[in-house]
Every structure is written in structure tokens, then in C-alpha cells.
Amino acid sequence: MKTELKSLSDKGRQNDGFSGVDAVERAFTLLNAFNDGCTALSLKELSNRSGLTKPTILRLAVSLEKFSYMVKDSEGLYHLGPMLWRLGSLFRQNLNLEVIIKPVLEALVKTTGESASFYVPRGKFGICLYRINSKHLARDQVEAGDIIPMGLGASGQILKAFLNGRGKLATQIRKERTYVSMGERDPYITGVAAVVTGPGDEVVGSLSISGITARFDERAIESYRTLVLEAAQTIERSLGRPNE
């Protein structure tokens, strides 16, 4: 499964035999120094975070400022530039979640044999945006468009915890980024879900697998928890979220 997910995340990254351009890669490395949400960095901080020398950063900054990818304020601190906001907006407008999420769901179903879903939050509910059902005759029957209440079932608990959940359970879910539900929506169904967040930590949705509880023993649940979390991270990388 891990190999399949990695191959999915690497699609579209083929270089056709060409090597990269060092200066461009260094520029992206510099921009990635802001990946923890810090809004202003000094030259020294940029150097420490990126591993680039100060003279290299100064040369790169000239070009990045010219095209508005970076700006320098009156105190000498560097900020991400407005061009990145524009490109991010264009990316979101043209984003096709289906081509990113469906292959991940298919890989989960192939590996686990259970059904896989992707839920998005809508008000007080979660809506199943994409679903691939297991080939088992006895299975958790859900279809795209089905609605679940926040706080009920694996995906419902994930969405509630990351959107407005309070208390010990919500705190634990946010820490682990996964949740296992046994019999919450249906006494015979177990689900394992993980949160999917975007570059700004906004909640995109919840990825889950579910099936008949008899097939979910303790060992399977722990294995599935890892698989679903890795699958969620694969989607996050495709959405532009940096590796932590």
C-alpha cells in the first residue's frame, strides 16, 4: 500500500531525463523556509532554515522580489509576496479533487478489501463526496452524496474535532489525526478515518475506510489506521501541503 500511495504522489513529477535547474530549486527552497506559517524572517533565519548562504539568499531575493514572490520590509525582514496568493487562488479555482482523491481511494480498497470514502464538511453535517465500495457482499453500504452528522462515526468525529470540537476526545483526535469508530453509526460497522488538511491547515475533509466489524480485529485496525493516515498525507501533498 505504501508503495502504491508513493507512486500516486509521484505522478506528474517525471522529469523525462532532464535534471533540474539549481537556481530555481534554491529559490523554491528559500520560499519553503516559510512553511511553518511564520510571516516574517530575517536574513539569518532564512539562511538557518534553508541551508543557503546569505550571499546566495540576497541574489535569489532580488529575482523573487522582482516578480513579487517575496518582499522585504523597512526593517529588513522578508515576507512571502502577493504573487503566491494569486497563484494559490488560481490553483484552488482549477483544482479537481476527484483526480487526486479517487486513485487514493482505489488503492485503499485494493489493499484492505474494505470500502473507502472521502467526506467534506457542510454546516453541521458531513457529505460523502467520493466513495468506492468494497467487493464484499457484506459491507458498509454508503454512496456519494450521503450525509452524516458531525460527531458520529469515524469521519463525523474527525470533522467535528478539527472544525469546532472541544473536550478530551477532540483533543486526542487532533493530536493523532485519526479516529476509530466501532458501532457508532451502525452496531455492525467499524470505520477508521484520518483528517485531510490543506497548506494553511484548513480542513479539506476526512478520508476513511469502513466495513463489517467482524473483519476489523485489533491488528487490522492498527494497520488500517497507519494506511489511512498515509493515504491522507498523500492527498495533502498533492494539495500542496508541505511535509512536516
Side-chain angles (χ1 to χ4, degrees), residues 92-122:
R92 286 189 291 273
Q93 290 171 17
N94 293 280
L95 181 63
N96 185 346
L97 283 177
E98 183 172 5
V99 300
I100 294 173
I101 294 171
K102 278 289 189 69
V104 175
L105 296 180
E106 290 168 356
L108 280 172
V109 173
K110 182 178 179 181
T111 302
T112 67
E114 303 298 344
S115 300
S117 309
F118 185 77
Y119 287 87
V120 293
R122 291 294 183 271

Side-chain angles (χ1 to χ4, degrees), residues 12-29:
R13 298 182 186 179
Q14 304 300 319
N15 57 26
D16 297 324
F18 293 101
S19 59
V21 179
D22 288 342
V24 175
E25 292 180 0
R26 286 195 293 268
F28 288 141
T29 298

Side-chain angles (χ1 to χ4, degrees), residues 168-188:
K168 184 177 180 180
L169 177 59
T171 300
Q172 181 180 348
I173 291 173
R174 288 193 293 269
K175 179 181 179 181
E176 297 179 352
R177 300 183 70 84
T178 60
Y179 181 75
V180 178
S181 164
M182 301 187 73
E184 289 184 22
R185 270 195 314 111
D186 184 297
Y188 303 104

